Amino acid sequence: MGSRINSSAVLWAATAVVALACAGCASRGGSGSQPEAAPAAAAAPARGGARAGMDAQGNVVDSSKVEAGSGKTVKGLNGYEGEITGNPARNSKFARLQIGMSARQVTDLAGQPTDQGAYVTGKAFIPFYFGSDRHRFEMTYKGQGRLIFAGGGMGDFSSGNLIWIIHNPNESGYR
């Protein structure tokens, strides 16, 4: 009798090796307790030197079209890195906000948003990725702009830390 190779055992072993390799890679890159900042995409300037969703003076005209990397990168509370885009409106509620604040701290200072919602990022689809920034939580304030939060616990889409402030005095308040 010759020796037979159990194909399902070989397939199972190969899958386990790949899974462990992916988990090891994911645990090395950015899976600490702090979320990563919004990716600094090299956004190509639109007509007249303005970026998408912005005018030439750096004012946000359409918050939904603003791209990550079109604002100023800043370091905030507890070492969180984030971005501030656009110029604040007069008497803006956002003036006292800092990158790294929790959603609760933000609502204590800025009040309740006009609209809010959550969405997943591409990191949510990486197998065996248990790091931060798998989802984002967004709050919109009429006449003020938008606030983007990253992180939070598994299934908890209403918390996290502030990573992006988008100043837009023309914000409709709805996503």
Side-chain angles (χ1 to χ4, degrees):
M1 292 189 161
S3 63
R4 279 181 87 190
I5 297 176
N6 186 344
S7 61
S8 60
V10 170
L11 181 60
W12 175 252
T15 304
V17 168
V18 171
L20 288 173
C22 290
C25 293
S27 68
R28 292 193 178 149
S31 67
S33 62
Q34 296 180 355
E36 297 174 15
R47 293 175 275 135
R51 294 181 182 257
M54 300 177 73
D55 64 14
Q57 289 78 33
N59 297 312
V60 176
V61 292
D62 188 351
S63 301
S64 65
K65 293 182 180 175
V66 174
E67 298 174 351
S70 50
K72 179 176 67 171
T73 302
V74 297
K75 201 160 194 116
L77 299 175
N78 300 321
Y80 279 92
E81 289 186 11
E83 182 175 342
I84 299 176
T85 305
N87 301 311
R90 289 183 177 220
N91 302 320
S92 175
K93 296 177 183 181
F94 291 4
R96 297 182 299 177
L97 302 181
Q98 293 182 338
I99 298 297
M101 286 183 155
S102 70
R104 178 64 147 243
Q105 289 173 309
V106 167
T107 55
D108 286 348
L109 291 174
Q112 292 299 317
T114 311
D115 195 12
Q116 59 189 347
Y119 54 92
V120 297
T121 66
K123 291 180 182 179
F125 301 102
I126 299 173
F128 304 103
Y129 178 77
F130 300 108
S132 59
D133 200 19
R134 289 184 303 263
H135 69 274
R136 300 268 171 101
F137 181 71
E138 179 177 341
M139 294 180 182
T140 59
Y141 290 82
K142 184 174 184 167
Q144 301 292 313
R146 296 182 183 207
L147 303 173
I148 314 295
F149 297 82
M154 188 73 111
D156 179 14
F157 294 108
S158 62
S159 65
N161 296 86
L162 183 61
I163 61 162
W164 195 4
I165 300 172
I166 302 173
H167 294 285
N168 181 1
N170 302 317
E171 177 66 53
S172 69
Y174 301 99
R175 300 178 30 172

